[in-house]
Amino acid sequence: MPLPFLTADRVFEAADDVPLPYDDRDRWRRPYRPGPWRVGVAALALLLASFVLFAAVIIAATAEPASAGLVFGLALLVIAAALRLLRMGVWVSARGLRHVGFLATRTASWEQVTSVRTVQQPVRWLGLPRTVQGQALLLVRQGRPADGLPPLLTTHNADFLGRTEAFDRAADSVEAWAEEYGPR
């Protein structure tokens, strides 16, 4: 009895060349992994939220329900902040490019994008006011000045601090998406 899935010389058919389910270009995807600083801060925030939830249960058992509700709401706020922190970054799809910040999200369709380029410039260190020399991935949109918008990615943000190779791969990936789907 031949087992074709175990042989190395079998002929691949065209039906085998179907795209994988995660290769859907219309879904928003982050072309890089979140960095250790971002994940670490979110994990600590979720740990804090678990203690606050435990405190809410103790308060609910011993004190007024209004106090427990307030502490429970605080825990939900910390959980929402941690999840939003993990969601931050650059997302791409066949429809455009999305820059997700903590409080705001900016989306640009590929028709609006003039260029996406990496430049050497002073960048913020972990989003704080202190600036250091680094690289930044800038988005230039039609009809808008290039100086007005913050950079999409930097070598010193929470995703790429100390990981310059990861920044280079992410910047190249976003630039490739812009090259593929941008206006011709």
Side-chain angles (χ1 to χ4, degrees), residues 102-141:
F102 191 73
L103 297 175
T105 299
R106 292 183 308 272
T107 303
S109 67
W110 290 120
E111 290 80 27
Q112 297 173 338
V113 174
T114 304
S115 70
V116 177
R117 58 183 158 62
T118 304
V119 296
Q120 187 83 17
Q121 70 178 27
V123 295
R124 289 181 163 199
W125 183 78
L126 288 176
L128 299 172
R130 177 179 176 223
T131 59
V132 294
Q133 192 64 27
Q135 291 182 343
L137 183 70
L138 297 179
L139 169 70
V140 180
R141 296 171 69 176

Side-chain angles (χ1 to χ4, degrees), residues 14 28 48 56 67 78 90 94 102 109 116 141 173:
W28 290 101
L48 173 69
S67 307
V78 171
V90 175
F102 191 73
S109 67
V116 177
R141 296 171 69 176
S173 177

Side-chain angles (χ1 to χ4, degrees), residues 153-177:
L153 305 171
T154 67
T155 52
H156 290 79
N157 69 2
D159 288 323
F160 301 110
L161 185 64
R163 300 172 52 215
T164 55
E165 299 86 16
F167 172 80
D168 292 337
R169 283 192 309 268
D172 289 345
S173 177
V174 173
E175 288 172 353
W177 276 81

